[in-house]
Structures are given as C-alpha cells and as structure tokens.
C-alpha cells in the first residue's frame, strides 16, 4: 500500500452563498500520486489541533501554498494591511500539526505559505510585504498574468547551500551549479529564522528561499517556491518530491513493522 500523505487545506468561501469549504489545489493531489508515489489525504482547516488524531495514520505531510497569510498574532507582528487574506482556521490546525510531525518524525515538505508556517510554528517571524522593504525584490506575481507563466515561469535564481539537505536531493546538475531557477508567488517571507531552522537557499536580495529543520528525525524541508507546478518538466522539482516520497515510504515501512511487532506480542 502506498504511503498516506496529508495535504493541508485552506478554508475558503465557495458558491453564491460563500459557504466555507476546505480546499487544496489539484496540483498537490497530482504530485502525491506522481513522484511522491503516495495516497493523498486532505486535512481540513478545522480551527483546532488535530495532530493526535491525524499523525498516527500519516506517513508524510505537505504544507501547501495559499493566497492567505499567516496571522501576525502568532509571531507578534503588526496587523496585516487592510484586505490581506488570512485563514485563522488553517493556522490553528497546521501550527500544532507541524510541531507534532517534527516531534514524531513524520516526513514534512513545506511549500510557500507552508514554509512560512513552519518558521512561525518553531518560533520565527515574517516580513509581510517583502516588495515594500528597501533593497528587496518583488517576489509576488501579478494575478492578471497568464496562468502558465505565473505558475511555471522562472522568476529568479536561488543560491543553494553546498552542504545542506536541499543540495543532497536536487539533481547532480543543480548541485554542481549551486543554484536553481524558480518561480515566485509570495509576499511574506522569513524575517527572523526560527531557532531550529537552517537556511538552505537564498534569493539575490537575501530572502531565505529554503530551510531545513535541524536535528529532525526524518525529511523536514521547506521551500519558498512552488515545485508542484512544474515537476513534470523540471528535474530538480521532481527530485524534491521523489526524495520526500522515499522518506514517506520509509516511515510507512517503520509503522508497519511496529504494528507487526505489537500484534505478535499480543
């Protein structure tokens, strides 16, 4: 049986009545069924800590990107500018889930907003609008651009640390180059790096673009870009998901072995 991979949902209004729905992009479903070689499980933005109920059944966790921003009260930041989308229901579910997943060694891949959640969950803080800061690039992408260009177009390069976890999972060509070309669809970014996180990649303006969890028992990586949009064409994007998938498979095998031992002892 394939590993069960949890995918974090957002709570969004749908339909003419704006009914709250729990949603994740199809791109995450397809990448879990593809290079991750897992079975996707959508995790609701329930607004409460579900980690004790969910984690015993999961072999991996993907923290998805989203238009919404992490609520600044979780990192003692200033209030968002008027009109900034937030999702407190998601925050209240994912932040404790992140800490529990790391504690229990469940493989974790955090993407865009997910990486920002990872930083906040472990005690870091965020810049809310990088494009407004002196000397920084505009890392957001206008929503009126054609979708293929927004999602798969390479906005800038990131410099990859030579001895980090990311360097170990990308292709040999990417490792030799020491850099990757990535898309970019975010306003928030790391301000103060959480104590347990180690920076793995940087944009030309110094923005942290990838992190790993120091001392993690399993795969625990965050990337600020969206590799789920171009894994079918980009070998390095695919390699990230394949490495995550191997960790999920190993976690499932370990869970099965423990279950077998417990059954044998009964």
């Amino acid at each position: 049986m394939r590993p069960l991979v949890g995918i974090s949902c957002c709570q969004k209004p749908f339909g003419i009545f704006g009914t709250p729905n729990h949603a994740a992009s199809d791109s995450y479903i397809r990448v879990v069924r593809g290079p991750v070689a897992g079975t996707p499980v959508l995790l609701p933005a329930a607004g409460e800590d579900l980690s004790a109920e969910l984690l015993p059944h999961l072999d991996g966790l993907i923290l998805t990107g989203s238009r919404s921003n992490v609520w600044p009260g979780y990192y003692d930041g200033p209030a968002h500018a008027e009109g900034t989308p937030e999702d407190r229901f998601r925050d209240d579910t994912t932040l404790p889930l992140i800490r529990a997943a790391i504690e229990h060694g469940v493989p974790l891949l955090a993407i865009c907003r997910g990486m920002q959640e990872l930083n906040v969950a472990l005690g870091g803080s965020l810049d809310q609008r990088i494009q407004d800061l002196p000397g920084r690039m505009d890392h957001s992408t206008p929503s009126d651009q054609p979708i293929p260009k927004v999602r798969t177009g390479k906005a800038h390069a990131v410099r990859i640390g030579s001895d980090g976890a990311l360097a170990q999972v990308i292709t040999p060509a990417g490792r030799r180059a020491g850099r990757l070309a990535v898309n970019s669809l975010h306003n928030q970014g790391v301000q103060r790096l959480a104590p347990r996180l180690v920076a793995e990649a940087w944009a030309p303006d110094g923005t942290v673009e990838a992190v790993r969890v120091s001392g993690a028992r399993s795969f625990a990586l965050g990337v600020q870009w969206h590799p789920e949009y171009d894994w079918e064409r980009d070998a390095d994007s695919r390699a990230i998901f394949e490495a995550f998938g191997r960790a999920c498979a190993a976690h499932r095998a370990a869970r099965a072995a423990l279950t077998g031992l417990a059954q044998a002892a009964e």
Side-chain angles (χ1 to χ4, degrees), residues 149-252:
K149 182 178 180 181
V150 168
R151 292 184 171 182
T152 64
K154 303 301 187 182
H156 59 77
V158 297
R159 177 173 57 87
I160 306 295
S162 60
D163 57 352
L166 181 61
Q168 298 305 309
V169 303
I170 60 176
T171 64
R175 201 174 308 136
R176 287 193 298 272
R179 63 184 58 247
L180 299 177
V182 301
N183 52 25
S184 188
L185 295 93
H186 62 103
N187 292 295
Q188 291 194 127
V190 170
Q191 181 187 72
R192 183 184 69 254
L193 196 64
R196 287 199 63 186
L197 294 184
V198 178
E200 293 262 316
W202 302 263
D205 64 353
T207 298
V208 175
E209 290 277 340
V211 295
R212 75 173 186 272
V213 179
S214 177
R217 293 164 52 190
S218 185
F219 188 103
L221 183 70
V223 296
Q224 191 59 78
W225 63 94
H226 285 265
E228 78 278 9
Y229 287 151
D230 63 0
W231 62 268
E232 293 175 293
R233 294 172 296 280
D234 187 286
D236 289 300
S237 293
R238 185 181 184 93
I240 291 170
F241 287 111
E242 289 175 337
F244 172 64
R246 290 191 294 271
C248 293
H251 187 79
R252 180 166 188 83

Side-chain angles (χ1 to χ4, degrees), residues 1-183:
M1 185 175 178
R2 286 177 167 224
L4 296 179
V5 179
I7 298 173
S8 63
C9 286
C10 299
Q11 193 171 122
K12 298 180 179 181
F14 279 88
I16 59 173
F17 299 111
T19 304
N21 280 239
H22 300 260
S25 170
D26 179 63
S27 57
Y28 298 104
I29 309 301
R30 290 188 292 104
V31 80
V32 169
R33 294 299 293 167
V36 175
T39 299
V41 180
L42 298 186
L43 308 180
E48 60 179 305
D49 182 2
L50 300 177
S51 56
E53 300 165 61
L54 293 173
L55 284 182
H57 308 287
L58 296 179
D59 302 303
L61 175 63
I62 291 181
L63 299 162
T64 61
S66 175
R67 289 188 65 250
S68 67
N69 288 0
V70 179
W71 183 57
Y74 279 118
Y75 55 90
D76 296 326
H80 284 135
E82 185 176 353
T84 300
E86 297 178 345
D87 190 343
R88 291 285 301 279
F89 293 99
R90 170 170 169 159
D91 296 337
D92 289 344
T93 302
T94 55
L95 297 183
L97 184 61
I98 288 166
R99 290 187 285 265
I102 293 169
E103 178 185 354
H104 293 283
V106 177
L108 179 151
L109 177 59
I111 295 171
C112 198
R113 188 200 205 270
M115 183 180 125
Q116 295 154 14
E117 289 172 327
L118 174 62
N119 189 49
V120 171
L122 298 182
S125 63
L126 302 176
D127 287 318
Q128 295 177 359
R129 288 178 55 85
I130 298 172
Q131 62 267 35
D132 294 342
L133 301 176
R136 303 290 284 278
M137 300 164 51
D138 186 350
H139 289 257
S140 64
T141 305
S143 59
D144 59 354
Q145 289 190 10
I147 287 177
K149 182 178 180 181
V150 168
R151 292 184 171 182
T152 64
K154 303 301 187 182
H156 59 77
V158 297
R159 177 173 57 87
I160 306 295
S162 60
D163 57 352
L166 181 61
Q168 298 305 309
V169 303
I170 60 176
T171 64
R175 201 174 308 136
R176 287 193 298 272
R179 63 184 58 247
L180 299 177
V182 301
N183 52 25

